Amino acid sequence: MNETAFDEPLFASLKPGLTSFCYRMLGSMDDADDAVQETSIRVWQSWSTFRQDSSFKTWVYRIASNLCLDKLRQSKRRALPVDLFEPAVAVVEPRDTLPDSAWIWPSPDFGGNPEDRLVRRDTLQLCFIALLQTLPPRQRAVLILKDVFEWSSKQIAETLAMSPAAVNSALQRARETMDRAQLRSDELSSMDVQPEQQLLSRYVEAFEQFDIAALVALFHEEGCMSMPPFEMWIRGKEDLSAFYSLTRWHCEGSRFVRITVNGGYPALAQYMPGKEGSGLVPWGIHVIETKENQILHVQNFIHTPLFSRFGLPERIDQ
């Protein structure tokens, strides 16, 4: 084989699954895209050394896995605000933030690859991504390849340069850690599979009219709202009402565009009035988790680069 014979369509067929693997490993689509791009470069550069002693797929995932493991050695664990901090004691405008690299961010779909549709959608939920980040990197890779992608221990061993016995041991430890993890985001996310469309519609109507009473009435008594990259998050109807009143000047006049995140979960892209006074500009992506047809947790991801990643316009009409 030689470099000019590099099979681009074959690599392209693996890209959706590879991207979803890297996203689960790294917790960020920006990092996942970088890892997949670097993988493609290394595959092209090393094409002449591929001897087919393992499958092309295993070889590509070996390269991607090593890249992810290298990235994770140099970074801190990504998380969600509810897992790092206690709810706000005093309701004030949020000010303290952590860098973008500290947070888990939602992802768009990875493509229409038939194999990718077989990968368990529940393992793309934000709470599951947060749980994965609690694992040591190599255990994380083993668990994703085994429990999500359903690879054999032999194939995982070839990919990660481990023995099958070491793979099984790492898998057992990873599962035990996941079972023991006490993440608040998991408690808030494991209630209803998806929010009811009617509840979403009522949320949109109340927010766009900025009817605070109607908005807060949609929340569960223990309902909460978090806003990465802000550390602060709010819990309880009284504090939610106070927070919405405090931030009315900022959010009034907003409009939503419906989207899906993380494997098809319904979400809302919020546009707010721009400073120039013409049109609405991107603000945040609302992911709404529910319990018994009430809102339990709104995660408002305030990260405008997400809008272009989701293929959303830079501005909409008021």
Side-chain angles (χ1 to χ4, degrees):
M1 294 186 182
N2 55 61
E3 290 180 2
T4 59
F6 172 52
D7 193 334
E8 291 188 34
L10 185 57
F11 182 84
S13 71
L14 297 179
K15 193 172 179 180
L18 200 64
T19 305
S20 68
F21 168 76
C22 292
Y23 173 67
R24 289 177 174 91
M25 284 290 292
L26 302 171
S28 157
M29 276 301 297
D30 286 342
D31 285 359
D33 280 348
D34 288 346
V36 172
Q37 178 64 23
E38 182 64 25
T39 298
S40 71
I41 293 170
R42 293 195 184 185
V43 167
W44 180 80
Q45 291 174 336
S46 307
W47 182 248
S48 61
T49 68
F50 176 49
R51 298 289 181 243
Q52 297 184 319
D53 53 348
S54 62
S55 72
F56 177 72
K57 180 177 179 179
T58 299
W59 181 59
V60 170
Y61 271 80
R62 182 185 305 152
I63 294 170
S65 298
N66 286 333
L67 281 165
C68 287
L69 294 174
D70 287 343
K71 280 180 176 286
L72 290 168
R73 289 189 191 101
Q74 302 166 24
S75 62
K76 295 181 179 180
R77 168 193 157 201
R78 288 180 179 267
L80 297 166
V82 295
D83 294 326
L84 294 181
F85 306 99
E86 292 302 313
V89 175
V91 178
V92 295
E93 286 189 40
R95 298 191 183 280
D96 295 333
T97 63
L98 291 179
D100 293 344
S101 60
W103 305 112
I104 291 166
W105 300 104
S107 75
D109 292 334
F110 300 109
N113 189 295
E115 180 183 347
D116 192 51
R117 287 198 291 269
L118 299 176
V119 176
R120 289 170 44 199
R121 206 167 67 168
D122 61 313
T123 64
L124 277 173
Q125 289 182 349
L126 290 162
C127 63
F128 188 81
I129 302 299
L131 279 171
L132 285 174
Q133 308 310 301
T134 66
L135 297 175
R138 192 165 291 273
Q139 288 184 27
R140 193 182 310 175
V142 168
L143 185 131
I144 293 168
L145 292 173
K146 185 67 173 181
D147 286 359
V148 179
F149 287 77
E150 299 181 351
W151 285 21
S152 68
S153 295
K154 180 177 181 294
Q155 190 176 7
I156 297 171
E158 291 175 356
T159 301
L160 299 177
M162 302 167 67
S163 69
V167 166
N168 292 333
S169 176
L171 180 64
Q172 181 179 352
R173 294 197 303 274
R175 286 172 175 168
E176 288 172 352
T177 300
M178 293 278 278
D179 288 341
R180 286 197 310 269
Q182 303 273 323
L183 294 186
R184 190 182 275 121
S185 60
D186 189 37
E187 296 173 9
L188 294 172
S189 303
S190 59
M191 304 301 176
D192 296 342
V193 176
Q194 288 195 128
E196 294 287 339
Q197 289 300 318
Q198 186 178 9
L199 179 61
L200 279 180
S201 296
R202 289 162 63 200
Y203 180 84
V204 169
E205 181 181 3
F207 201 106
E208 290 186 348
Q209 294 180 2
F210 220 73
D211 183 337
I212 294 175
L215 189 57
V216 172
L218 300 176
F219 281 81
H220 189 274
E221 286 298 328
E222 294 298 314
C224 55
M225 177 179 59
S226 57
M227 302 152 285
F230 294 103
E231 300 174 4
M232 174 185 177
W233 62 279
I234 308 294
R235 181 165 64 186
K237 287 189 173 186
E238 185 176 339
D239 282 357
L240 284 165
S241 181
F243 182 81
Y244 285 129
S245 297
L246 189 65
T247 57
R248 174 186 286 277
W249 67 272
H250 180 78
C251 291
E252 200 165 27
S254 293
R255 294 290 180 268
F256 284 114
V257 174
R258 295 193 183 222
I259 60 171
T260 59
V261 303
N262 290 60
Y265 194 89
L268 301 164
Q270 179 191 353
Y271 286 79
M272 58 169 283
K275 292 180 180 178
E276 297 82 6
S278 61
L280 303 172
V281 296
W283 175 245
I285 304 292
H286 294 223
V287 180
I288 298 173
E289 294 153 331
T290 62
K291 177 183 179 181
E292 298 168 355
N293 205 27
Q294 292 179 300
I295 296 173
L296 192 63
H297 185 198
V298 174
Q299 299 187 75
N300 182 6
F301 293 92
I302 302 170
H303 187 52
T304 53
L306 287 172
F307 282 69
S308 60
R309 180 167 290 286
F310 280 90
L312 291 162
E314 296 180 0
R315 184 180 294 269
I316 64 172
D317 295 331
Q318 285 180 297

